[in-house]
Amino acid sequence: MDWESSVSEPYEIKCKKIKLKELENFFEKLQKDYEDVARQRNHTTNAQEINKLERQLDTILKNLERVGLECNQLQKEIQELEANELATAVPKTLQALIDLLAPIDFETVTKAYRACLSAGRLRPVPETLGTLVRQLREIPGDPNEPEPLLHFVSLLIQEPSLENEQREPLESWAKTQGLSVQEQIAEQIETAEICLMVKVKPRALNDPFLGYLVSAALVADSSPFRPELELVSKPIPISVPPDPKYAPGYSQDDLPHILNELITTCGNEHGVPLTELIIQCFLPIELMSLPVEHWQFQIGRKQQEYSGRRCKAVIVRSSDRHFSSDYQLASGDWKKYWNRLLTIQQSQCSKALVHIDPIIGKTRINWKSSKVVGCRFVEHDNPQQRENLWDELLSQGTPIAMWIRQPTTKKKMQSLSTCTIAELSTSLAEHRQRALSHDCEVARLEAACLCLLFDNPYRPFPTIDYQSA
């Protein structure tokens, strides 16, 4: 793209950006120091040593707060300087775009801005339209991908909340820059993933004995691996009456019946083919091992089918990580390892998912290798040990894990380990479809007990307003 020339970045802005980078690196070092000292404290029993480590933690925490404030202040100063610079040096082509963006709600604009940034380019949202447009213009594009500014405009054009008088001028501007908007939209719709997201949370924090609250939403995700792409969601009401013992919550035994009703609703009311439906179950830590893919739903008067056989995919996710503050400290590692996953999607699972063994207490993943994004394991037969393992994995920020419920099927996991990370969900779904076709129930259960945690931190369960649905 032959953009009109603009003035080079002023020296003052360059210096502040260098200083900001140094502070960000120091902030990351302090975070690591805090984690190391906290880990040492948790494994220390000597009271005097604990007091010493507690003082170290207090000092590090104060430094974290100070450096964080300095980073925020520098970011604000840089944005103000860039805005001032832009006011006197904006090319006509960019100024035309800025004028078109001005009537659009700023939250809508920033949503498209975050969605168009690829992995590794996450940055604070600029405070002005001018700074936002110039930043996107200056970011180099990825090979075989639209330039970030054009991708931003194409995403904004697809925003359902835009009025026609806002969308049409943007389409005209995009065409003058050589962007075929309709082709982009058609391609994204064609490849969209249709997800039934089911959220299961204890009614009381960490207390499953009072039952579970369940919510559901239908989501069309046109770019599953685009970080921070905010999606339009459709809530699905749940008509299954709650167990009187747990009302307004549900018992664990109610969950298969709820999934049956939700799958029926997706087909009857929303016209979603079963073979295109991806089920994502957000489960609390004590339910992570539920055989969701074995739950059945009604497809005729007498005919029943397994979710793992007819649906495109069934994936386990963590409701604790998304909705509990317990794992907030590990959220940075979670995003870091997910972004790493995006860069090595063609790596074999045997290399990217390292073997751990909860039965002998080997639960720590070696994250030093840039090719490691998760783990694979055989599940412990003790329920408490299973919960302890999930607590450990979520605390490490593990985004992806593959495991089996029966040690006799270890070879099944080894065969899947040869596929790539990008192929894992599809390969597992195909394996389940074959396994769940067995006539013998024992063979069916044994062959289809592979499970997958595939937890994208940028695709949380949506915030939905049932009153406006």
Side-chain angles (χ1 to χ4, degrees):
M1 180 64 61
D2 184 20
W3 295 105
E4 299 178 43
S5 61
S6 63
V7 295
S8 61
E9 190 174 70
Y11 178 76
E12 184 179 4
I13 295 179
K14 288 182 179 179
C15 290
K16 286 184 178 292
K17 285 185 176 180
I18 292 173
K19 177 62 176 177
L20 177 60
K21 184 62 177 177
E22 293 174 349
L23 285 174
E24 289 175 339
N25 290 339
F26 184 46
F27 188 88
E28 292 179 359
K29 179 181 180 301
L30 287 172
Q31 284 183 312
K32 185 177 183 305
D33 291 342
Y34 188 94
E35 293 172 4
D36 291 340
V37 175
R39 192 178 299 109
Q40 186 179 354
R41 179 199 59 187
N42 292 339
H43 291 83
T44 301
T45 56
N46 183 278
Q48 184 176 359
E49 184 66 14
I50 289 175
N51 290 334
K52 176 183 175 182
L53 294 172
E54 289 284 359
R55 290 193 296 271
Q56 290 182 24
L57 287 174
D58 289 341
T59 301
I60 296 173
L61 188 58
K62 290 177 181 178
N63 286 332
L64 276 170
E65 294 173 348
R66 175 181 58 80
V67 175
L69 290 173
E70 291 181 16
C71 286
N72 291 339
Q73 181 60 32
L74 263 179
Q75 288 172 346
K76 182 178 180 181
E77 292 173 5
I78 290 171
Q79 290 176 353
E80 290 174 350
L81 288 170
E82 288 178 337
N84 293 336
E85 177 66 15
L86 194 63
T88 58
V90 179
K92 293 180 180 179
T93 302
L94 296 186
Q95 186 59 57
L97 176 58
I98 294 170
D99 293 341
L100 295 177
L101 297 176
I104 301 173
D105 180 70
F106 191 66
E107 286 297 319
T108 301
V109 174
T110 57
K111 181 172 72 172
Y113 169 83
R114 289 193 295 267
C116 77
L117 297 177
S118 60
R121 287 183 177 157
L122 303 182
R123 56 179 68 192
V125 175
E127 296 182 358
T128 67
L129 290 173
T131 306
L132 181 148
V133 168
R134 190 172 75 171
Q135 282 189 4
L136 288 174
R137 188 273 311 273
E138 293 175 348
I139 296 175
D142 293 328
N144 303 318
E145 292 285 342
E147 295 186 35
L149 184 59
L150 296 184
H151 187 212
F152 158 77
V153 175
S154 71
L155 291 174
L156 192 57
I157 289 171
Q158 299 167 58
E159 171 57 46
S161 65
L162 252 60
E163 303 290 341
N164 286 335
E165 55 267 28
Q166 297 172 325
R167 179 179 289 104
E168 290 173 359
L170 282 174
E171 290 179 345
S172 298
W173 184 92
K175 289 177 181 177
T176 65
Q177 306 306 316
L179 178 65
S180 179
V181 178
Q182 294 305 320
E183 289 182 7
Q184 289 250 331
I185 295 175
E187 180 181 351
Q188 292 195 355
I189 292 176
E190 181 69 23
T191 59
E193 288 188 349
I194 309 301
C195 302
L196 169 61
M197 293 186 174
V198 184
K199 176 179 70 174
V200 181
K201 289 179 57 180
R203 284 181 57 196
L205 183 63
N206 299 327
D207 187 357
F209 295 103
L210 294 178
Y212 299 94
L213 298 176
V214 185
S215 305
L218 197 61
V219 177
D221 191 348
S222 60
S223 301
F225 293 108
R226 285 285 181 185
E228 293 193 340
L229 176 62
E230 296 182 20
L231 306 173
V232 177
S233 306
K234 178 71 175 178
I236 304 180
I238 298 172
S239 59
V240 174
D243 186 325
K245 179 181 177 181
Y246 300 101
Y250 294 90
S251 69
Q252 178 178 324
D253 292 338
D254 290 326
L255 300 181
H257 305 298
I258 293 173
L259 184 62
N260 178 18
E261 185 226 314
L262 292 173
I263 292 176
T264 302
T265 302
C266 288
N268 291 347
E269 299 185 17
H270 302 283
V272 180
L274 290 172
T275 51
E276 296 299 320
L277 184 64
I278 296 175
I279 298 175
Q280 298 185 4
C281 288
F282 292 75
L283 299 175
I285 198 168
E286 72 274 7
L287 301 183
M288 291 291 283
S289 297
L290 283 181
V292 180
E293 70 283 355
H294 285 263
W295 289 351
Q296 292 181 308
F297 58 91
Q298 200 77 26
I299 58 173
R301 286 186 178 180
K302 297 182 180 180
Q303 297 296 319
Q304 288 189 318
E305 186 57 276
Y306 293 100
S307 61
R309 184 183 180 194
R310 287 294 294 275
C311 296
K312 184 176 181 180
V314 180
I315 296 169
V316 174
R317 305 185 65 184
S318 166
S319 62
D320 289 288
R321 179 150 59 184
H322 285 273
F323 307 110
S324 170
S325 61
D326 292 343
Y327 302 102
Q328 190 62 39
L329 191 62
S331 61
D333 286 332
W334 180 22
K335 290 184 178 181
K336 172 184 175 182
Y337 299 139
W338 180 267
N339 289 335
R340 178 190 290 180
L341 178 153
L342 299 179
T343 67
I344 62 164
Q345 293 183 56
Q346 299 309 314
S347 297
Q348 282 193 345
C349 292
S350 57
K351 297 178 180 178
L353 304 180
V354 297
H355 174 69
I356 62 173
D357 192 343
I359 297 175
I360 63 172
K362 181 185 176 183
T363 58
R364 192 71 190 173
I365 300 171
N366 182 3
W367 297 104
K368 292 182 179 179
S369 171
S370 60
K371 299 297 183 181
V372 172
V373 295
C375 63
R376 47 196 167 93
F377 58 92
V378 176
E379 195 172 62
H380 202 292
D381 58 1
N382 181 280
Q384 185 58 54
Q385 291 297 329
R386 290 200 292 265
E387 288 189 30
N388 292 343
L389 173 64
W390 281 114
D391 181 45
E392 172 69 22
L393 293 181
L394 299 179
S395 298
Q396 293 182 56
T398 309
I400 177 172
M402 181 170 61
W403 73 100
I404 57 178
R405 300 191 191 94
Q406 297 185 24
T408 57
T409 59
K410 190 172 182 179
K411 291 182 180 180
K412 302 293 182 182
M413 184 164 64
Q414 291 173 344
S415 64
L416 274 180
S417 297
T418 59
C419 71
T420 66
I421 291 293
E423 299 167 337
L424 180 55
S425 179
T426 302
S427 297
L428 178 56
E430 292 174 351
H431 168 78
R432 283 173 175 166
Q433 288 159 10
R434 291 192 301 269
L436 289 169
S437 299
H438 283 296
D439 293 330
C440 172
E441 182 178 2
V442 174
R444 184 168 59 241
L445 294 174
E446 180 179 324
C449 66
L450 273 165
C451 310
L452 178 65
L453 171 84
F454 204 74
D455 205 3
N456 184 345
Y458 301 107
R459 294 296 186 274
F461 187 88
T463 301
I464 49 182
D465 182 1
Y466 283 91
Q467 294 181 346
S468 63

